[in-house]
Amino acid sequence: MRIGILAVQGNFREHAAMLRELGAEPVEVRKPEQLDGLDGLIVPGGESTTFMRLMRLYGLDEAISGFEGPIMGTCAGMIVLDKEHLGLIDLEVDRNAYGRQVASFEADLKLSGHGEPLRGVFIRAPRVRSTGADVEVLAEHDGEPVLVRDGRILVASFHPELTEDTRVHELFLNQVREAMSVRA
């Protein structure tokens, strides 16, 4: 299973390490043609304005919009995929809504279908303003969605790659496996 990680900026190395640990092959993506043959894609955390600028510069915005496999976005990746940017998920978010860098925090999250809490690392995290009717909330913090899925798109307002808990990445890889079995 080959999973691309947008590697123009942000936490792509941490995602790659977690994917390797789970037996997937990470592929750093910096050009549109590098999306060819991938089974899934991760848009990592970083700085969303920088992401969008670099993606437009390299033609990755259109290439990612046309990518048909499952996509996971974390923190800035959530913003990049939302309705106001690439429009791949029926979600509106507010950037840096939990505060500046100094207001970063960690919290235990109840992950749907799991008894043990999931540790969320929130760094200048986006806050979900609204979701479409088909968006499934998988985890909340103080009653607000922080991990959601809309069809093939999974997004988190936190950084699952900065903990040792692999459950968010496992959830994404399971989506990729399901999509691969449908294509086969």
Side-chain angles (χ1 to χ4, degrees), residues 14-15 17-19 21-22 72 74 106-112 114-121 139 147 154 156 158-173:
E14 292 84 350
H15 281 286
M18 191 158 280
L19 290 172
E21 180 182 333
L22 294 171
M72 179 169 84
T74 59
E106 293 185 23
D108 285 334
L109 311 171
K110 183 174 180 348
L111 181 60
S112 179
H114 293 84
E116 188 167 327
L118 173 71
R119 193 72 174 164
V121 178
L147 177 66
L154 176 70
F158 56 96
H159 291 270
E161 76 281 6
L162 297 181
T163 71
E164 293 181 11
D165 193 327
T166 60
R167 288 181 288 173
V168 173
H169 286 78
E170 289 172 30
L171 183 64
F172 177 63
L173 292 178

Side-chain angles (χ1 to χ4, degrees), residues 96-182:
N96 304 329
Y98 287 100
R100 301 173 61 91
Q101 188 83 20
V102 295
S104 299
F105 65 96
E106 293 185 23
D108 285 334
L109 311 171
K110 183 174 180 348
L111 181 60
S112 179
H114 293 84
E116 188 167 327
L118 173 71
R119 193 72 174 164
V121 178
F122 294 80
I123 304 170
R124 293 177 42 218
R127 177 177 272 139
V128 173
R129 184 179 340 128
S130 68
T131 63
D134 294 331
V135 173
E136 177 186 10
V137 176
L138 302 174
E140 294 181 340
H141 172 65
D142 289 342
E144 296 183 0
V146 294
L147 177 66
V148 300
R149 178 173 44 210
D150 185 6
R152 65 187 177 91
I153 310 294
L154 176 70
V155 293
S157 57
F158 56 96
H159 291 270
E161 76 281 6
L162 297 181
T163 71
E164 293 181 11
D165 193 327
T166 60
R167 288 181 288 173
V168 173
H169 286 78
E170 289 172 30
L171 183 64
F172 177 63
L173 292 178
N174 285 338
Q175 283 184 229
V176 172
R177 282 184 199 94
E178 288 173 23
M180 290 171 67
S181 69
V182 169

Side-chain angles (χ1 to χ4, degrees), residues 6-58:
L6 186 62
V8 295
Q9 194 252 343
N11 293 347
F12 58 91
R13 288 178 192 88
E14 292 84 350
H15 281 286
M18 191 158 280
L19 290 172
R20 273 189 216 94
E21 180 182 333
L22 294 171
E25 177 189 347
V27 177
E28 293 182 6
V29 173
R30 293 183 179 86
K31 299 177 188 172
E33 60 270 17
Q34 293 173 316
L35 291 170
D36 295 342
L38 296 178
D39 301 307
L41 177 67
I42 294 176
V43 181
E47 208 292 311
S48 60
T49 304
T50 302
F51 266 122
M52 290 305 299
R53 186 176 300 128
L54 292 170
M55 287 169 55
R56 277 191 294 275
L57 180 67
Y58 297 117

Side-chain angles (χ1 to χ4, degrees), residues 82-100:
D82 82 352
K83 286 170 65 169
E84 295 176 15
H85 295 87
L86 293 183
L88 295 178
I89 185 168
D90 193 3
L91 192 70
E92 293 180 9
V93 300
D94 293 321
R95 295 176 66 230
N96 304 329
Y98 287 100
R100 301 173 61 91

